[in-house]
Amino acid sequence: MGDIFLSIRGRVVINVEALNMTESVGNYVKHRRVPVMIKENGGYGVYFVPSISGESIAHGFQDVLARIANSNKLPVCKLCDKGILLKSSNENIFKAAFGIDVPKDDYELEKTIIERCIVEDVGGFLYAHGERNVKRTSNFYVGYMIPVSEAIKNVVIEPQLQTRYALGTPFVSKEEKGQMIYYVELSSAPYVFSFDLDTKYIGKTTFVIDKPRSEVKNRKERIITTLNALQTFLLELMFGAKKSRFLPVVNWESIVIAISDDVWTVPSPFTLNYIEKAQNKKEKINYNTSLYIYDGTKGSFEETVINAIKDAKERVLK
Ligand SMILES: [Zn+2]
């Protein structure tokens, strides 16, 4: 079987979204904001813009992975299976997740967790209990979604008033005001999207370096399942909060997916010419790299994703 490096960059317009909220101040729920710098008047200007965190995207992906792995009879721990992604962060969590005692040896600890939970195998974990730290780096990488460069100066965040008053019913009197009105900040923006996946260490121990790597028996199935989860995650945009009442209006403008034999990333979609940059980069350097491109004119976003994942799976099975 072959290992692959898969890199995704895209631009997606998301209207009326409340996908990543931070704190609530009284009855006011705030959208996440980050500072972004752009060139301006011969220098740089800083703008505070709406964003969706990498943690939010990572949570969504791992949740899909848990579900798809479960239906394929691959191991998922009790907590990840319920979408509680505490991922072996201490002794009690480990015991609740796996129903066994924590192995004394660090190498055995990582091996046990990998064998028994694909979410922690693919998405990493950090066991920190007392003086003991055992860490596994995630095999996939995501970043903050921020508005594209051309939109930085024009995006806005707007609070929406929500009420649940029932005037005229006995439940609302002069003394009892019913439920407080509240505000939810909404935003609309063309966002950048980034996701990389390196299959090299999936199903293999990484933490203790002076022992030979231990490898699970079903590595191939695990990688194929991870790719299937990625396809569902992308096609259904399965991340973000508040979707029960703030289901956003989504339209993918473009996407580039690169499949390579070694680390090869698609340039940032922050600037409009990223597709051209990706093609130029591939001309100069590539590791058996194939590019799958949807530029908003021909083909479709879905077709591009499906073809890229198909190629990735074929390379893994080879
Ligand atoms: Zn788990």
Side-chain angles (χ1 to χ4, degrees):
M1 63 169 286
D3 274 302
I4 55 150
F5 189 97
L6 185 151
S7 178
I8 306 171
R9 299 291 181 271
R11 287 180 156 217
V12 55
V13 177
I14 310 181
N15 276 308
V16 286
E17 57 85 12
L19 289 171
N20 194 195
M21 313 309 279
T22 53
E23 81 238 87
S24 57
V25 183
N27 61 344
Y28 192 99
V29 190
K30 285 182 76 178
H31 197 290
R32 184 178 295 283
R33 288 166 170 79
V34 291
V36 170
M37 297 199 90
I38 53 165
K39 273 205 165 130
E40 204 173 66
N41 307 325
Y44 288 91
V46 67
Y47 291 84
F48 283 84
V49 295
S51 75
I52 299 162
S53 73
E55 289 289 1
S56 164
I57 299 160
H59 183 97
F61 173 65
Q62 290 173 107
D63 211 14
V64 178
L65 177 61
R67 240 185 286 172
I68 292 188
N70 206 337
S71 58
N72 284 312
K73 305 268 183 297
L74 283 167
V76 181
C77 80
K78 275 187 214 155
L79 294 178
C80 290
D81 189 41
K82 292 190 175 70
I84 303 167
L85 301 176
L86 292 169
K87 303 204 291 180
S88 306
S89 38
N90 64 36
E91 196 179 333
N92 284 339
I93 292 167
F94 179 94
K95 283 180 180 165
F98 301 107
I100 52 167
D101 283 335
V102 180
K104 297 271 180 293
D105 177 67
D106 288 350
Y107 173 81
E108 286 302 321
L109 175 58
E110 187 190 17
K111 189 166 169 277
T112 304
I113 296 173
I114 292 174
E115 277 169 3
R116 292 169 187 241
C117 184
I118 186 177
V119 176
E120 291 168 70
D121 172 11
V122 175
F125 63 82
L126 174 63
Y127 180 86
H129 200 84
E131 296 285 290
R132 191 176 177 199
N133 281 305
V134 178
K135 179 191 164 198
R136 177 171 175 82
T137 304
S138 174
N139 288 293
F140 73 90
Y141 311 85
V142 287
Y144 272 59
M145 291 177 77
I146 59 168
V148 303
S149 61
E150 313 96 276
I152 289 291
K153 292 182 188 177
N154 295 319
V155 285
V156 287
I157 295 177
E158 176 70 13
Q160 292 292 314
L161 174 68
Q162 309 284 336
T163 59
R164 212 176 265 167
Y165 276 123
L167 288 173
T169 67
F171 309 110
V172 184
S173 62
K174 270 188 188 135
E175 297 78 41
E176 253 188 292
K177 293 261 163 53
Q179 188 179 330
M180 276 275 285
I181 56 168
Y182 60 103
Y183 296 89
V184 176
E185 282 191 343
L186 290 187
S187 187
S188 294
Y191 285 107
V192 298
F193 177 86
S194 318
F195 188 110
D196 289 339
L197 172 73
D198 192 347
T199 67
K200 196 165 48 203
Y201 297 123
I202 292 179
K204 293 179 184 173
T205 54
T206 56
F207 185 69
V208 177
I209 49 166
D210 56 0
K211 284 196 183 171
R213 280 190 203 285
S214 158
E215 200 177 303
V216 297
K217 287 190 188 75
N218 54 7
R219 258 199 96 223
K220 208 194 296 177
E221 286 93 318
R222 286 182 180 221
I223 296 170
I224 296 294
T225 297
T226 304
L227 291 167
N228 286 334
L230 180 57
Q231 177 170 312
T232 304
F233 169 77
L234 280 173
L235 295 182
E236 307 304 336
L237 203 82
M238 289 174 83
F239 61 84
K242 283 208 167 289
K243 286 165 101 173
S244 62
R245 290 299 179 270
F246 296 88
L247 197 61
V249 181
V250 179
N251 183 36
W252 282 91
E253 286 195 325
S254 61
I255 192 166
V256 176
I257 306 178
I259 319 283
S260 309
D261 291 347
D262 205 343
V263 181
W264 194 99
T265 58
V266 178
S268 164
F270 188 58
T271 49
L272 187 58
N273 62 350
Y274 80 103
I275 297 176
E276 205 183 308
K277 279 187 185 168
Q279 286 163 326
N280 291 342
K281 181 179 174 182
K282 192 190 158 207
E283 296 282 297
K284 294 195 172 60
I285 183 163
N286 79 78
Y287 305 102
N288 192 19
T289 301
S290 299
L291 291 181
Y292 292 85
I293 298 171
Y294 169 63
D295 65 3
T297 58
K298 51 189 178 303
S300 73
F301 164 75
E302 288 80 6
E303 195 187 333
T304 308
V305 170
I306 291 165
N307 287 340
I309 299 290
K310 187 165 167 263
D311 177 8
K313 289 197 277 191
E314 279 167 7
R315 290 190 190 207
V316 170
L317 292 170
K318 218 184 254 172

